[in-house]
Amino acid sequence: MPLIPEEPQIHESAQGPRATPASGRTAPTPRPVPGPRPAAPSRPGRPGPPRPAPPVQRAPRDVAPAKPGPATPAATAASPQIQLIPASAEGALDAAEEAVDLLLDSGRAPGDVLVITTGAQHPWAEHELSFGEASYWAQHDAGDDVFYADASAVSRAASRPVVVVAVNGGPASAAATALPLAHSRAGALLIVCGDPQQINSVLGAGV
């Protein structure tokens, strides 16, 4: 009778735990329990931990743009821009007329402009005064047209955005009085037509 070799017997305790297969499938090998995982690196275009905003982005919130203080408008009103148009005493009135035409052409309202003469009256003022001072000053108060006055009337004239002075003769005292007053009446722009040396000497001393 042939001998059947014995199969080696392996004790169950030496094999370790075995999973019982279900439905004839081999049980998966248990995986090791993962430990703590390192934080995933940031992806391009995906921010990682919050970072302080760069100064360029933070500046609009932290630093407000500079705004003119309350004194700026007053300073502007007290110190209008001065434009000097050289002209002789005989040509100062014509230069003033040209300046007024340019102002109106550029969009200035007629009521924004006051014209002052130190010598002979402007023809418009002479014509209107022929109807009496009440009618003349009523047009000034209406403020809807260019108003012409001589140096002696500057103190009565109200402030306007633009004042044009024609130094067209008259005594030296007329220009010396009219120019500082005209400067105080001009809200934005003072235009002076006449001899530059005389004008600078008066404005430099009186303003």
Side-chain angles (χ1 to χ4, degrees):
M1 185 171 182
L3 297 175
I4 298 173
E6 282 189 19
E7 295 181 2
Q9 298 294 322
I10 301 174
H11 198 273
E12 289 183 358
S13 63
Q15 293 180 352
R18 290 185 302 172
T20 303
S23 305
R25 290 182 301 174
T26 305
T29 304
R31 296 181 182 179
V33 178
R37 288 183 296 177
S42 300
R43 297 179 184 178
R46 186 175 182 178
R51 292 180 299 173
V56 174
Q57 298 175 358
R58 191 169 61 243
R61 296 194 301 269
D62 297 342
V63 182
K67 294 182 180 179
T72 303
T76 302
S79 302
Q81 180 183 354
I82 300 176
Q83 181 179 348
L84 174 60
I85 300 178
S88 63
E90 294 76 19
L93 193 56
D94 289 339
E97 285 285 1
E98 290 178 7
V100 171
D101 289 342
L102 288 173
L103 289 167
L104 300 180
D105 290 343
S106 67
R108 276 286 180 185
D112 286 352
V113 184
L114 170 66
V115 180
I116 298 167
T117 55
T118 62
Q121 284 269 22
H122 188 277
W124 180 91
E126 288 183 344
H127 174 74
E128 295 301 324
L129 282 168
S130 67
F131 297 103
E133 287 204 4
S135 174
Y136 171 75
W137 286 105
Q139 296 188 59
H140 165 270
D141 297 339
D144 56 5
D145 204 351
V146 180
F147 190 77
Y148 298 83
D150 67 7
S152 63
V154 180
S155 58
R156 184 173 174 179
S159 297
R160 292 200 178 189
V162 183
V163 176
V164 181
V165 180
V167 185
N168 60 332
S173 60
T177 301
L179 287 174
L181 284 173
H183 186 269
S184 68
R185 296 293 188 273
L189 178 63
L190 172 64
I191 301 175
V192 186
C193 307
D195 176 49
Q197 186 175 355
Q198 179 187 10
I199 294 166
N200 287 327
S201 64
V202 173
L203 287 178
V207 178

